[in-house]
Amino acid sequence: MGSRQHLDDLARSARSLQDTVGELHTALTEGDEQGAGYAKDHLAEQARRALGDTGERGFEPAAGAAGADDVLAVAARDLALSEALFRAAEGEGGRPPDLERLRAAEDTLAELAAALEGPARRGFEPAAAASPDLPTAIAGLRHEGGACLELICERSGGAVTGALVKLPVVGTLAAGADELLSSLGLATPAEQLTKWAVRLLEKALTLLYRLIPSVLLDRLRTAVTRLADGLTRDRTPGGLLMDAVLGADDLRKTLGARLDRDALDRAKLDAARAELGGLGERFGQRMDLLSFTIAVSAGLVSTLATPLAAGGVAALLLAVVVVLAADYADAWALPAAVRGVRTVVEEATA
């Protein structure tokens, strides 16, 4: 995924938030008003840090992130923190706290931390196994390229299906987050924790919009409509829909023609095969984090949003899935954030 140090820092932030929400849950359970106050103050301080030292709306801390993976990870952390703040605020103003939902917010933060920490990392990556001859190397890369494209379509198809299940109304993909935030009806919250929660939610949605290239908005609106119609009306499997949206068949033909060329280099083909294996694994991790983001967004929207806002969030999340899948496949003319399938195969067959 993104820069390892950045993801590790976010994982530690999620663990710290988990601890704070756990302390608040314990204090409220035991009727410890002073302890609950300390925990809420700590949550507010963590919200201030997540928004930047000034607490302004420029969101400068995310600007230094290494790439789309880091931006997605920050948005996921901010959404989880926003959820925790909303749940903590439910006990303010003389209302009884909802301890079950507060415990669920704690569990969400634990899930996020685990997703950011990722699997145990090896100290080195093994070198690509050498093929015994050129035909074997060609066949190996052909298989790995096809398998990687299939994984991208299936995993992204699963994510869009999850988004439609959790957020079944798809609205218009706006060019920015302002219209969506106004439809949430949260412009002037009265309580301090809720104010922090709204600002973190606004920041997270803005970051997600940053992942969408403005030059692709028209194409993405068409893709989002096609996905929503196919999943809800035609009942087409998500993987097949993503295959069609990305134009994966044409990409397979292009890559197949590249591998039919003469005078290919066996070592380059083997190296590309190994790179595609790692690319597929990273895309799977990215979809895990995006699926988490979809789940948290659905929880917030079900509590806070009008149908208009729910539709906007669903459209946004579907667009992000498409952008990330197209980037990893190199299926569209995108400002590439990663070396996708097309690039890897084309360079190996140059």
Side-chain angles (χ1 to χ4, degrees), residues 145-146 149-150 152-154 156 219-220 222-223 226-227 238-256 321-323 325-334 341-342:
L149 281 176
E150 183 176 357
I152 289 169
C153 291
E154 286 299 319
S156 58
R219 187 171 186 178
L220 284 167
T222 301
R226 185 176 183 183
L227 287 169
L240 292 179
L241 278 172
M242 284 300 303
D243 195 294
V245 165
L246 295 176
D249 275 346
D250 289 341
L251 181 54
R252 290 186 188 98
K253 292 175 184 177
T254 299
L255 299 183
V321 173
V322 174
V323 167
D327 189 19
Y328 268 76
D330 277 344
W332 294 358
L334 282 167
V341 176
R342 183 197 299 271

Side-chain angles (χ1 to χ4, degrees), residues 94-246:
R95 293 166 297 178
D98 190 326
L99 296 178
E100 184 176 341
R101 296 215 295 186
L102 190 61
R103 174 65 76 187
E106 182 183 356
D107 293 341
T108 294
L109 287 160
E111 181 184 348
L112 173 60
L116 292 169
E117 289 161 354
R121 300 188 296 277
R122 296 184 291 264
F124 62 92
E125 293 294 332
S131 299
D133 50 50
L134 183 57
T136 302
I138 293 172
L141 181 53
R142 194 185 303 274
H143 175 270
E144 194 65 53
C148 193
L149 281 176
E150 183 176 357
L151 182 149
I152 289 169
C153 291
E154 286 299 319
R155 290 302 309 272
S156 58
V160 297
T161 301
L164 265 296
V165 168
K166 295 179 174 66
L167 294 162
V169 180
V170 174
T172 301
L173 178 62
D178 292 344
E179 181 181 351
L180 179 56
L181 265 293
S182 66
S183 67
L184 287 171
L186 297 171
T188 57
E191 295 158 347
Q192 188 60 52
L193 289 179
T194 306
K195 289 180 180 179
W196 289 118
V198 170
R199 293 178 68 182
L200 263 297
L201 177 59
E202 180 181 12
K203 179 190 172 192
L205 292 174
T206 302
L207 288 173
L208 290 172
Y209 272 113
R210 285 186 183 178
L211 294 175
I212 301 174
S214 59
V215 295
L216 291 180
L217 275 175
D218 288 340
R219 187 171 186 178
L220 284 167
R221 288 189 184 100
T222 301
V224 165
T225 301
R226 185 176 183 183
L227 287 169
D229 287 348
L231 287 167
T232 58
R233 186 185 61 194
D234 301 330
R235 305 297 180 185
T236 306
L240 292 179
L241 278 172
M242 284 300 303
D243 195 294
V245 165
L246 295 176

Side-chain angles (χ1 to χ4, degrees), residues 2-10 12:
S3 76
R4 189 64 255 171
Q5 182 60 53
H6 190 239
L7 295 182
D8 286 344
D9 289 344
L10 288 171
R12 282 191 290 272

Side-chain angles (χ1 to χ4, degrees), residues 13-27 35-36 38-44 46 49 84 102 106 109:
S13 172
R15 291 293 183 197
S16 177
L17 288 166
Q18 178 192 353
D19 291 342
T20 303
V21 175
E23 291 166 3
L24 176 58
H25 184 276
T26 299
Y38 286 146
K40 289 179 179 180
D41 288 345
H42 194 193
L43 271 179
Q46 287 167 304
R49 287 203 297 269
L102 190 61
E106 182 183 356
L109 287 160

